Amino acid sequence: MQNTTNATSSVEPTIAQPAPVKRLLSLDTLRGFDMFWIMGGEDIFHALAKTTGWAWTLVIADQFNHPDWNGFRAYDLIFPLFLFMAGVSTPFSIGSRLEKNANKSEIARKIITRGLILVLLGIIYNNGLFVKALQDTRFPSVLGRIGLAGMFAQLIYLYTQPRTQYIWFVGILLGYWAIMMLVPVPGCGEGLLTMECNPASYIDTLLVPGRLYKKIHDPEGLFSTIPAICNALMGIFAGTFLRTHGRSGNQKAVRLLGIGAGFIVLSLLWDFVFPINKNLWTSSFVLVTGGLSLVLLAVFYWIVDVKDIKGWTFFFTVIGMNSILIYLAGEFIDFGYAARFFFEGILKLASSEAVLKVGMALALIAVKWAFLYFMYKKNSFLRV
């Protein structure tokens, strides 16, 4: 891992946190928008719902909770959207190097190294810096899934032609569906997709060392990482399309929007036989999150890169350019203490629980953003 000290230099994007692609400010903006909710944006609506009870805040706050098992809420999109955006940057980084006849083996080595580093960072994020007993260590992680799924997607892009990439995409989704529905689990039989009885959880209990997040299941488990490759591939397809000349920006945005809507409809139909489920990262879940990711990319691309409406993007760009840093920093920096130190006393003067709770949620975001802005002004960005 390196700390980049020159924001204007040519920095090769990575699968975890791509460097800003100059022609796609929308990508950094969308990444920052995605990370905004993780760094505390959802707490604003939870605080409003809890303190006011207003119907609209309850509806929105409910969207910032994961379903217990099957189903989909807006909060489920944050993780796959990040993986999708990592894919979007691939044709701009690796594709440009391939056009310059760069050595594929060297590129592959860097891809694999980055993927494994992310797995390691995910283990540290879950367990801390100190070594735990093997049976107490949780190896699956969000960063680990981003690293592995992104790594395999990039290798597919590196070594295959577009037609073969589409075959990989369809084959993975259909193959995962077949395994999940047709392979029997000992003591359960086949076709069951409960937490206790499904092939992904069963395979993880056999292959993954240490502990699983829910003992018999891990939402970032090894086997369910396979279909996540397709989220990154969808990003790669979108990035390749945006990089292709011959269409206007408006045409590209409309095409992405239409394809995204098509995937959402297809996912809803597939849901009848293969439920949308983030815990198992089902193929229908891939399509609904990929479709929504395409829709968001189309909207941000049209507003920022086509219509050149950029004045509002700075807030999110500061977050997006250091997204991995803010994700990890919360485990080692007490931003909550700083928020309380600077803002709690003032907010208590309002004598209102709603003002205090919502104000503290906003204060936490302000402190984190100020930290990222300081890093931005220092031209310091965490890269893997």
Side-chain angles (χ1 to χ4, degrees):
M1 181 165 29
Q2 63 182 17
N3 195 21
T4 303
T5 56
N6 187 356
T8 60
S9 64
S10 178
V11 183
E12 179 187 296
T14 71
I15 190 64
Q17 179 178 320
V21 179
K22 193 171 184 179
R23 296 188 308 182
L24 286 181
L25 174 62
S26 54
L27 194 60
D28 267 323
T29 307
L30 181 55
R31 188 183 302 110
F33 175 78
D34 193 32
M35 290 300 299
F36 168 77
W37 303 106
I38 293 178
M39 62 184 274
E42 82 279 7
D43 291 334
I44 298 172
F45 293 99
H46 285 306
L48 278 171
K50 184 177 180 180
T51 57
T52 68
W54 295 337
W56 67 272
T57 63
L58 293 173
V59 171
I60 295 177
D62 185 59
Q63 287 298 311
F64 289 104
N65 292 300
H66 294 301
D68 291 334
W69 194 244
N70 292 335
F72 179 82
R73 293 188 181 127
Y75 206 44
D76 296 335
L77 181 60
I78 293 175
F79 181 6
L81 175 59
F82 193 81
L83 183 53
F84 169 87
M85 288 185 288
V88 173
S89 72
T90 298
F92 292 90
S93 55
I94 294 177
S96 62
R97 294 184 65 191
L98 290 175
E99 290 173 355
K100 298 175 183 177
N101 297 316
N103 185 281
K104 285 189 176 182
S105 297
E106 180 64 19
I107 296 174
R109 184 188 65 80
K110 292 181 178 179
I111 290 172
I112 294 170
T113 299
R114 293 182 187 121
L116 296 179
I117 289 174
L118 281 170
V119 172
L120 178 60
L121 287 175
I123 294 171
I124 294 173
Y125 181 86
N126 284 342
N127 305 281
L129 292 172
F130 300 102
V131 178
K132 293 185 177 181
L134 179 63
Q135 65 270 20
D136 297 325
T137 301
R138 183 187 173 211
F139 289 92
S141 67
V142 169
L143 290 179
R145 175 161 292 182
I146 291 172
L148 292 176
M151 178 183 75
F152 284 111
Q154 283 196 321
L155 291 174
I156 290 171
Y157 173 80
L158 179 64
Y159 286 109
T160 66
Q161 296 300 312
R163 183 172 181 272
T164 306
Q165 294 165 22
Y166 295 135
I167 292 173
W168 270 103
F169 176 78
V170 174
I172 289 172
L173 293 182
L174 293 179
Y176 188 69
W177 179 31
I179 291 172
M180 294 295 286
M181 299 303 295
L182 300 178
V183 173
V185 175
C188 297
E190 63 185 42
L192 295 178
L193 295 178
T194 63
M195 185 184 297
E196 297 80 11
C197 296
N198 71 83
S201 297
Y202 178 70
I203 291 171
D204 284 346
T205 59
L206 294 178
L207 299 181
V208 178
R211 65 179 179 88
L212 301 181
Y213 185 66
K214 297 184 178 180
K215 295 184 179 180
I216 60 172
H217 169 77
D218 199 301
E220 282 79 53
L222 182 62
F223 191 72
S224 58
T225 295
I226 295 173
I229 296 171
C230 293
N231 287 93
L233 283 175
M234 291 180 77
I236 287 173
F237 299 153
T240 300
F241 175 70
L242 290 177
R243 192 168 179 260
T244 302
H245 298 286
R247 297 179 187 270
S248 69
N250 284 322
Q251 289 174 325
K252 290 179 179 180
V254 171
R255 179 66 66 89
L256 288 176
L257 193 66
I259 294 173
F263 276 126
I264 293 171
V265 172
L266 184 58
S267 73
L268 296 176
L269 295 174
W270 207 346
D271 178 58
F272 286 106
V273 292
F274 196 26
I276 295 172
N277 185 305
K278 178 184 180 295
N279 288 275
L280 298 175
W281 212 278
T282 55
S283 302
S284 55
F285 177 78
V286 171
L287 292 188
V288 72
T289 54
L292 289 169
S293 297
L294 284 166
V295 169
L296 284 173
L297 177 63
V299 171
F300 275 68
Y301 172 73
W302 184 77
I303 293 173
V304 177
D305 293 312
V306 177
K307 292 301 181 181
D308 201 35
I309 304 174
K310 300 177 179 178
W312 61 280
T313 63
F314 182 71
F315 175 82
F316 292 114
T317 300
V318 168
I319 302 171
M321 292 178 69
N322 247 330
S323 51
I324 290 293
L325 174 63
I326 196 60
Y327 181 79
L328 292 171
E331 293 298 302
F332 305 100
I333 301 175
D334 191 350
F335 292 108
Y337 175 83
R340 291 188 297 272
F341 179 82
F342 287 108
F343 297 102
E344 189 174 39
I346 298 174
L347 291 170
K348 283 183 176 179
L349 295 176
S351 300
S352 167
E353 184 183 7
V355 171
L356 178 61
K357 295 292 185 182
V358 176
M360 286 307 300
L362 291 170
L364 182 61
I365 293 173
V367 168
K368 290 182 177 180
W369 193 87
F371 167 73
L372 291 175
Y373 179 71
F374 173 79
M375 301 299 289
Y376 173 85
K377 294 298 289 184
K378 292 293 183 180
N379 294 328
S380 185
F381 306 102
L382 183 64
R383 307 289 181 201
V384 176

